[in-house]
């Protein structure tokens, strides 16, 4: 038998303070503003008339050039790159691939010697190889986001070590290797990797820098984490910096730098 509720329902009334709380807008998430990385422009390869003073600085994106250092991510990227370089062409013949007859060498019993089968046995000289290497693919897979993070970490490590230079343009008007080598030695840029974002590199620069040892010129799309860590110093132009910021930057608010 159902019983009817004898207690009347109490009417809920909001206090003035509670009415004020219910009228507040929803809570907004405030993201921190990242500080940009300021880097003085390096001296150009061209004649002294076009050199930049220390007052000229490059404003770099902190999500690309000020990433926290992760040694484990760098290790993964380096191993992934080195695995892709392995040829995996080592090949040995098994006992079924070695040329020769399959006749039993001697009878099973009565000789007092060990039991032997055919001449391709791995126990005999000239026979097959047991469990030898065969052609294989040593390349490993790594997520794209991990590789991108490794590139941010490698560039940030170069900035923290003060081994990253930025110039307005990488250009050399003369095709003679001798003159460019003298200029590089004067600036102390041996063991330096030059990265240019120009779509068409000047022919004289490519011809002059090709024969200089411990110096290399590449485009930003060919720069890997391994190459970044391998070279002692990296010098890139403004277009190369823009390329990495477009490819690796995160959607994080960055504080604006006022123009003086």
């Amino acid at each position: 038998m159902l019983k009817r509720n004898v207690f009347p329902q109490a009417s809920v009334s909001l206090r003035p303070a509670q009415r004020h709380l219910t009228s507040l807008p929803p809570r907004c998430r405030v993201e921190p503003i990242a500080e940009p990385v300021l880097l003085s422009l390096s001296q150009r390869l061209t004649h002294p008339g076009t050199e930049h003073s220390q007052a000229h600085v490059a404003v770099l994106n902190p999500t690309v050039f000020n990433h926290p250092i992760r040694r484990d991510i760098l290790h993964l990227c380096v191993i992934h790159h080195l695995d892709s370089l392995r040829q995996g062409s080592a090949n040995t013949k098994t006992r079924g691939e070695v040329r020769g007859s399959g006749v039993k060498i001697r009878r099973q019993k009565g000789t007092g010697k060990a039991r032997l089968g055919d001449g391709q046995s791995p126990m005999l000289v000239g026979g097959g190889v047991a469990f030898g290497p065969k052609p294989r693919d040593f390349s490993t897979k790594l997520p794209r986001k991990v590789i991108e993070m490794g590139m941010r970490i490698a560039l940030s490590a170069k900035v923290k070590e003060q081994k990253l230079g930025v110039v307005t343009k990488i250009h050399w008007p003369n095709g003679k290797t001798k003159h460019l080598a003298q200029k590089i030695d004067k600036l102390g840029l041996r063991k330096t990797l030059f990265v240019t974002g120009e779509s068409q590199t000047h022919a004289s620069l490519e011809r002059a820098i090709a024969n200089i040892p411990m110096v290399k010129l590449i485009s930003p799309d060919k720069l890997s984490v391994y190459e970044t860590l391998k070279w002692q110093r990296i010098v890139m132009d403004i277009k190369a910096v823009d390329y990495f910021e477009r490819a690796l930057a995160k959607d994080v608010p960055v504080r604006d730098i006022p123009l003086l």
Side-chain angles (χ1 to χ4, degrees):
M1 181 177 179
L2 298 177
K3 294 184 179 180
R4 188 175 299 175
N5 188 6
V6 296
F7 297 100
Q9 296 182 356
S11 60
V12 180
S13 60
L14 298 177
R15 297 179 181 179
Q18 294 178 342
R19 295 195 192 99
H20 176 68
L21 293 177
T22 55
S23 62
L24 290 177
R27 184 176 298 178
C28 299
R29 180 182 178 183
V30 179
E31 296 184 357
I33 300 178
E35 294 290 340
V37 179
L38 303 180
L39 190 65
S40 300
L41 292 180
S42 302
Q43 187 174 353
R44 294 174 56 178
L45 296 176
T46 49
H47 54 86
T50 59
E51 293 178 359
H52 289 266
S53 63
Q54 296 295 328
H56 295 80
V57 296
V59 182
L60 307 180
N61 194 314
T63 61
V64 180
F65 296 94
N66 194 20
H67 195 281
I69 305 301
R70 292 277 304 274
R71 295 173 61 92
D72 56 335
I73 299 297
L74 295 179
H75 178 265
L76 290 175
C77 295
V78 170
I79 295 301
H80 171 261
H81 177 78
L82 294 179
D83 287 344
S84 65
L85 299 181
R86 299 188 65 176
Q87 293 183 358
S89 58
N91 186 21
T92 56
K93 291 184 179 181
T94 62
R95 65 184 303 166
E97 297 171 342
V98 175
R99 180 180 178 273
S101 174
V103 178
K104 188 175 177 67
I105 294 178
R106 55 176 175 258
R107 60 180 181 168
Q108 184 78 358
K109 292 179 177 293
T111 62
K113 298 182 181 180
R115 296 170 290 185
L116 285 179
D118 54 14
Q120 292 81 23
S121 174
M123 295 186 300
L124 300 179
V125 177
V129 179
F131 308 108
K134 287 291 184 180
R136 54 172 294 193
D137 184 13
F138 285 94
S139 62
T140 55
K141 294 183 179 180
L142 196 64
R144 176 181 55 85
K145 291 187 176 181
V146 177
I147 299 177
E148 292 179 353
M149 182 187 294
M151 199 66 207
R152 297 188 192 99
I153 297 172
L155 294 175
S156 302
K158 288 297 180 182
V159 173
K160 288 181 174 62
E161 296 171 358
Q162 297 182 359
K163 297 297 183 180
L164 179 68
V166 179
V167 295
T168 56
K169 187 177 181 180
I170 300 178
H171 176 71
W172 186 252
N174 191 357
K176 294 288 290 184
T177 302
K178 174 182 177 181
H179 304 318
L180 181 58
Q182 292 175 353
K183 184 66 174 180
I184 289 177
D185 291 336
K186 181 180 178 181
L187 298 177
L189 294 180
R190 288 284 183 172
K191 300 181 181 180
T192 300
L193 177 65
F194 294 91
V195 184
T196 176
E198 298 288 344
S199 58
Q200 188 68 25
T201 308
H202 201 272
S204 61
L205 176 61
E206 291 183 349
R207 184 168 60 251
I209 205 172
N211 295 326
I212 302 177
M214 297 182 294
V215 175
K216 188 178 180 181
L217 176 67
I218 63 173
S219 57
D221 58 332
K222 296 181 180 179
L223 183 63
S224 62
V225 178
Y226 176 78
E227 290 285 339
T228 306
L229 300 176
K230 172 185 174 182
W231 287 89
Q232 182 176 346
R233 187 182 297 103
I234 295 180
V235 175
M236 59 179 63
D237 57 6
I238 297 297
K239 291 188 177 180
V241 174
D242 294 339
Y243 174 87
F244 288 117
E245 290 186 350
R246 289 195 309 268
L248 304 175
K250 293 183 178 179
D251 189 12
V252 174
V254 181
R255 188 183 303 276
D256 295 331
I257 298 298
L259 299 177
L260 300 179

